[in-house]
Amino acid sequence: MIHIACNIDSNYVCHCAVTLVSLFENNREETFSVHILERGLSAAEQQTLTDLAARYGNRAFFYEPMPEMLAGFTIRKFSKRISMATYYRCILSELLPRDIDRLLYLDCDIVVLGDIRPFWNTPLDGIGVAAVEDIGSTDAPRYEVLKYPMEEGYFNAGVLLINLEYWRKHDVARACIEYFHQYPERIVYNDQDLLNSILYKHKVFVDLRWNVQDAFYRIPKPQDAEAWRAKYGACLKHPVILHYTNRKPWDYDSQHPLRNEYFRYLDLTPWKGQRALNNPLNRIKRFFRLLPFYIHLRKPKYIRMTDL
């Protein structure tokens, strides 16, 4: 049994469905329990996700944390896109059944394109989390704000293999709550900053293929291109967990080179056929938004997959 967790509100039910379908489709030999931390989902929305899991022989469970558990928390970066539900992952150990000692947390702007069993089997002895370095981990000012050494690194919190036994033993949920109230000015990137602040000494970094973030597909500087291709080429060409961390594939102006992977799995959900570009107005907006790239007034942002 592999335990998966997601946290969503009503705005992300469709995207959660895509993440789950991609996971189930590419891991048919596995059995999953999906633990969905939610905020205000209707009975119909819960049933949709329950039915989706059941279609693959899996089960979905729903948890709605009491608002007072996150009293005083605020959203900083990307507040138009992220709700308070983002902090639910910080208190996972308080919400899930105590007989679950290992958990794979996935954001719902993700598609899973391969076998996750090797990642699931990552040793977690004595550590709180296994994760992939964030694309911003070389940003020195971030460490100045968070007050810990840059050599410890900084992980992306969108994909986390969590040692729940460790979290309970060391009361990570309580530590997150206390840290936020003590140092709110340090928390810029919401729960990601918070979890890094608590777990920076108690984590292990894993291979990029387990969380291939948007910015890794951006065109490198010419002097870095050869080293970049050697380091990232294989993972970018064959990601296992593809994470749309910037513009989302469902946005009308997405330029991500693998945005169509999202729609491949969307069409296996009740939202089959839905596209932003079905709206003629969005087609016009996309044309004018991308026109500077078409006529070479702006340089392309993303690599071409054929260049890998």
Side-chain angles (χ1 to χ4, degrees):
M1 176 70 70
I2 294 180
H3 292 278
I4 302 294
C6 304
N7 61 344
I8 60 171
D9 57 19
S10 289
N11 295 320
Y12 261 69
V13 174
C14 168
H15 311 311
C16 181
V18 173
T19 296
L20 295 180
V21 165
S22 69
L23 173 69
F24 300 154
E25 283 285 330
N26 292 302
N27 292 270
R28 286 182 172 268
E29 301 302 312
E30 305 289 355
T31 302
F32 295 97
S33 283
V34 181
H35 306 272
I36 299 175
L37 285 70
E38 51 93 359
R39 189 178 190 187
L41 295 196
S42 68
E45 289 168 331
Q46 291 188 19
Q47 192 62 51
T48 296
L49 296 176
T50 297
D51 292 345
L52 199 66
R55 187 204 307 171
Y56 293 88
N58 300 313
R59 299 182 67 188
F61 304 90
F62 298 87
Y63 311 79
E64 184 167 11
M66 299 296 289
E68 54 266 27
M69 295 182 76
L70 296 175
F73 277 56
T74 56
I75 296 293
R76 300 287 292 278
K77 284 286 184 179
F78 312 119
S79 59
K80 292 181 180 179
R81 193 170 70 206
I82 296 178
S83 75
M84 283 294 293
T86 193
Y87 286 108
Y88 289 167
R89 80 192 80 179
C90 297
I91 55 174
L92 279 164
S93 54
E94 296 297 299
L95 299 171
L96 271 59
R98 299 192 70 84
D99 61 346
I100 302 173
D101 59 7
R102 178 180 288 242
L103 180 74
L104 177 56
Y105 172 84
L106 297 173
D107 269 352
C108 289
D109 53 358
I110 276 172
V111 290
V112 179
L113 302 176
D115 179 10
I116 64 164
R117 173 59 68 171
F119 183 30
W120 176 257
N121 289 340
T122 301
L124 294 176
D125 298 337
I127 60 170
V129 69
V132 171
E133 274 198 289
D134 188 75
I135 188 65
S137 63
T138 58
D139 181 21
R142 185 170 300 189
Y143 299 93
E144 295 172 9
V145 172
L146 295 179
K147 310 299 183 188
Y148 73 80
M150 186 172 180
E151 56 265 26
E152 296 287 355
Y154 180 91
F155 58 82
N156 182 276
V159 179
L160 301 172
L161 183 62
I162 296 171
N163 183 346
L164 284 176
E165 184 178 17
Y166 177 97
W167 280 40
R168 295 186 185 104
K169 180 178 180 180
H170 297 276
D171 204 354
V172 169
R174 175 54 51 189
C176 285
I177 292 170
E178 291 179 353
Y179 190 96
F180 187 95
H181 289 304
Q182 187 171 2
Y183 304 111
E185 73 284 357
R186 296 183 185 178
I187 307 305
V188 177
Y189 292 93
N190 306 312
D191 54 293
Q192 184 165 279
D193 276 356
L194 191 51
L195 288 169
N196 273 277
S197 297
I198 299 300
L199 295 171
Y200 70 87
K201 288 185 177 180
H202 310 287
K203 52 95 174 47
V204 63
F205 285 125
V206 294
D207 192 86
L208 171 66
R209 71 182 184 274
W210 303 120
N211 184 358
V212 185
Q213 300 150 53
D214 175 286
F216 288 111
Y217 287 95
R218 299 300 180 99
I219 295 175
K221 295 177 181 178
Q223 64 269 26
D224 298 332
E226 186 174 345
W228 168 87
R229 188 174 291 106
K231 184 175 182 180
Y232 299 124
C235 288
L236 298 182
K237 202 168 185 178
H238 303 290
V240 180
I241 299 179
L242 179 62
H243 191 182
Y244 300 105
T245 46
N246 197 350
R247 299 298 294 174
K248 308 306 180 187
W250 56 86
D251 290 332
Y252 75 88
D253 57 349
S254 171
Q255 299 181 64
H256 195 292
L258 294 180
R259 61 188 177 276
N260 285 331
E261 292 292 343
Y262 171 87
F263 297 110
R264 183 154 67 97
Y265 294 102
L266 177 72
D267 287 343
L268 299 176
T269 77
W271 290 268
K272 177 180 179 179
Q274 291 193 13
R275 306 286 193 274
L277 296 183
N278 289 346
N279 182 333
L281 178 59
N282 283 338
R283 287 181 175 272
I284 295 169
K285 288 165 62 178
R286 179 180 175 86
F287 174 79
F288 283 105
R289 181 69 176 264
L290 303 187
L291 182 60
F293 298 100
Y294 299 149
I295 61 177
H296 307 294
L297 290 178
R298 294 186 64 184
K299 294 181 179 180
K301 291 183 177 181
Y302 292 93
I303 61 167
R304 294 180 301 178
M305 298 302 292
T306 53
D307 291 338
L308 292 175

